[in-house]
Amino acid sequence: MSGRLIGIDAGGTMTKAALFGADGVELACARRPNTMLFPAVGHTERDAEQMWQAACSAIQAVLEESGTLPGDVLGISTTGYGSGAYFVDGDLNPVRPGIVSTDTRAAALLRELERSGLAAACGAQVQQRMWAGQASVLLAYLSRAEPELLGRTRSVLMCKDFLRAKLCGDCSTDPTDAGIAGLIDVSTGSYAEAMLHELGIAAWLDRLPPIGPSNEVAGTVSAEAARRCGLRAGTPVVRGLVDVAAASLASGMADASLMTIVAGTFSINQTLHDAPRVSRLPFLQCAYPLGGYYLATEGAATSAGNLEWFCRVMLDAEAARAASGGRTIYEVCEHLVREGLGRETDMLFFPFLFGGPGGAPAGLLGLTASGSLGDVVRAIYEGIVFAHRMDVDALLSGPDAASPSRIRLAGGGARSLVWPQLFADVLGLPVDVMQCGELGAQGAAMCVAAALGAQPDLATAARTMPRLARAYTPDPARSALYERKYEHFVRTADSLAHLWTHRAADPQTQLAGA
């Protein structure tokens, strides 16, 4: 079957639309920025309607750029970041701003749940640890902080589900998003009703969406959405899947020999398992839409989003100079790091802007008068990879851990020519980068291909649509150097966590009047 496929990916910083052929080749891509809202300390939100407008604009752009007629589009699907939450009324209008998964407003509640033992008990029922930006924890927080929200809400949706609802009116979700939200028993695919009662959020049960397969047609593009997006009314809309699973699917991850790493806002590090991991509950876990596997994830908000923050806050003037010369600030950073890799430096960056392990603060240590901007940017690159290594070490520990032999790298970090080699050197495994630049969107498009017959099934799509672009092998000398530097990074992060958390608890260390 011929025809073109569209995947929408709403990530931490951008909403993207990508157009693919039925063979998986990316034909066009458009990106539109998402505006992060910070209404209070620890609160990270998003204007849901603005995100929908960004998706519409991006869809229009890829159609125009590629010369694709609306009738040439076989189908469309969505993906997006996991957890957080969107709340809509019966007309699909947001009743409050969407909450992004980096949100930490529920941190105090989470500590309360941990002290009582409820976090561990509830986590065991959904086969993953509880965390502040998880939908289940946020619902518990909002039940206290915004009790009127329940009455104003008809459906609680995940990010990709909100966009699909705007496309076709369908309010459902799939096992990957429901799993990562911490709302279902991953092994059965059903809502964990006992856990919802224990957490005090059982009243939300009838607001939670029905769960269906990722590669199933959920509806068709409405006349209103067609007018907004430039699509043909009646175009099939496939349910889709959460971004981390979509990226793994588009990386060709079909068995336990591969590990996927997504270097984006979050450090996402993933392996496949025959059954849900229980010896050491992972950060995230969900059923994988391929091969009967389960996807286990370790991660935190410690990845490339830290570089984006540094460029936005610290390199504004440098970005303007780069733009005047036809370059992006990220191209400048790449050049600076490549220039500095031959110099030895003890400088360390701790990428904990959204919170570090044990309460460790973000920061840069080892600055000297002889240091350069290149040394600082290099430390940021290395620190982000070290933070991934901490998560990978946890992911690969325990009796039910996987033993991958290769890494597939995705996310913004995969577009770099420097980061993949750093990952190979620090982790000691070969690293592959895929040809497609938008793996999340491609994973969504693969669901369309399988649902509508452009590919025989999802397994075939996963085997034939992904394409390798570059491969990196570890440099033994640099791996040995980074092993020592990583050990220093971990010890220092542990010490900083101890010092910082004790400082925060000691009123004598607080500035007068602060």
Side-chain angles (χ1 to χ4, degrees):
M1 181 185 291
S2 61
R4 297 186 171 186
L5 321 169
I6 293 179
I8 306 299
D9 182 4
T13 58
M14 295 281 176
T15 292
K16 296 147 285 191
L19 181 74
F20 299 89
D23 57 0
V25 174
E26 183 180 315
L27 304 173
C29 181
R31 301 174 179 86
R32 297 293 184 267
N34 294 318
T35 301
M36 191 79 84
L37 307 174
F38 301 98
V41 175
H43 295 218
T44 55
E45 299 185 342
R46 177 173 296 176
D47 183 327
E49 284 294 339
Q50 185 271 334
M51 180 176 67
W52 166 234
Q53 292 166 14
C56 292
S57 174
I59 293 168
Q60 290 174 345
V62 294
L63 295 176
E64 293 169 7
E65 177 187 332
S66 62
T68 298
L69 298 174
D72 294 334
V73 177
L74 183 64
I76 184 170
S77 188
T78 58
T79 187
Y81 68 84
S83 248
Y86 289 77
F87 302 84
V88 299
D89 62 20
D91 296 319
L92 303 182
N93 297 313
V95 299
R96 72 169 326 283
I99 301 178
V100 183
S101 51
T102 51
D103 194 279
T104 58
R105 74 186 70 194
L109 171 60
L110 181 61
R111 289 192 293 271
E112 176 186 318
L113 296 173
E114 289 170 343
R115 286 193 298 268
S116 70
L118 196 55
C122 290
Q125 295 179 61
V126 295
Q127 294 89 46
Q128 60 203 289
R129 301 194 301 273
M130 304 194 80
W131 48 287
Q134 195 175 43
S136 55
V137 178
L138 285 168
L139 287 177
Y141 173 89
L142 292 169
S143 294
R144 298 183 183 184
E146 301 178 24
E148 77 289 348
L149 182 61
L150 178 67
R152 295 190 291 122
T153 299
R154 181 64 208 100
S155 295
V156 179
L157 300 175
M158 299 299 104
C159 177
K160 70 114 169 42
D161 300 323
F162 173 78
L163 291 175
R164 190 187 61 257
K166 300 297 282 188
L167 280 167
C168 68
D170 171 71
C171 289
S172 66
T173 193
D174 80 302
T176 66
D177 245 330
I180 284 174
L183 293 168
I184 67 171
D185 180 331
V186 170
S187 63
T188 66
S190 302
Y191 283 110
E193 294 192 29
M195 185 274 292
L196 298 179
H197 281 279
E198 289 175 34
L199 205 53
I201 56 174
W204 287 93
L205 187 58
D206 68 351
R207 270 72 163 179
L208 299 181
I211 303 168
S214 305
N215 58 329
E216 180 179 80
V217 175
T220 60
V221 173
S222 69
E224 171 62 16
R227 183 185 65 80
R228 297 276 298 270
C229 299
L231 292 168
R232 177 180 57 83
T235 300
V237 181
V238 174
R239 185 167 288 108
L241 68 177
V242 72
D243 60 356
V244 295
S248 290
L249 196 61
S251 295
M253 190 179 187
D255 59 54
S257 68
L258 292 176
M259 173 168 60
T260 55
I261 290 179
V262 183
T265 302
F266 269 73
S267 158
I268 297 294
N269 313 275
Q270 305 184 115
T271 50
L272 290 180
H273 303 264
D274 292 328
R277 288 200 71 182
V278 294
S279 71
R280 179 191 178 110
L281 289 181
F283 171 55
L284 305 173
Q285 189 153 223
C286 66
Y288 194 56
L290 192 65
Y293 286 110
Y294 294 85
L295 189 67
T297 304
E298 287 293 343
T302 56
S303 193
N306 285 265
L307 177 64
E308 188 274 334
W309 173 88
F310 180 77
C311 292
R312 173 170 48 84
V313 174
M314 302 295 188
L315 297 183
D316 192 44
E318 190 70 36
R321 283 194 294 272
S324 67
R327 295 199 297 169
T328 70
I329 188 59
Y330 301 106
E331 290 172 322
V332 172
C333 289
E334 289 277 294
H335 175 73
L336 289 169
V337 175
R338 283 197 300 270
E339 274 194 335
L341 280 174
R343 295 193 299 271
E344 293 305 322
T345 171
D346 291 329
M347 197 180 301
L348 292 173
F349 175 72
F350 299 90
F352 306 142
L353 291 170
F354 295 98
L364 187 68
L365 289 181
L367 281 170
T368 65
S370 62
S372 67
L373 178 59
D375 294 330
V376 172
V377 179
R378 173 187 167 185
I380 293 172
Y381 272 56
E382 291 175 345
I384 287 169
V385 179
F386 290 156
H388 274 270
R389 167 76 184 270
M390 295 174 76
D391 294 329
V392 168
D393 286 350
L395 182 65
L396 301 184
S397 66
D400 53 359
S403 299
S405 57
R406 297 191 72 85
I407 294 167
R408 295 279 167 87
L409 182 64
R415 289 193 284 271
S416 165
L417 296 179
V418 176
W419 248 326
Q421 186 63 55
L422 284 176
F423 273 98
D425 292 341
V426 171
L427 296 174
L429 288 173
V431 171
D432 299 323
V433 174
M434 309 307 290
Q435 194 176 94
C436 176
E438 294 297 342
L439 291 184
Q442 188 182 35
M446 290 165 68
C447 290
V448 178
L452 300 177
Q455 293 283 341
D457 48 44
L458 201 53
T460 305
R463 188 172 64 252
T464 62
M465 294 178 73
R467 289 172 171 79
L468 283 175
R470 309 187 305 277
Y472 299 79
T473 57
D475 179 312
R478 298 206 65 79
S479 290
L481 183 153
Y482 278 128
E483 188 66 30
R484 294 190 295 272
K485 199 167 186 178
Y486 171 68
E487 290 174 1
H488 183 44
F489 174 91
V490 172
R491 289 195 303 269
T492 306
D494 288 343
S495 298
L496 285 173
H498 176 77
L499 291 170
W500 194 253
T501 54
H502 278 69
R503 170 198 171 276
D506 184 357
Q508 294 184 7
T509 66
Q510 306 303 312
L511 292 175

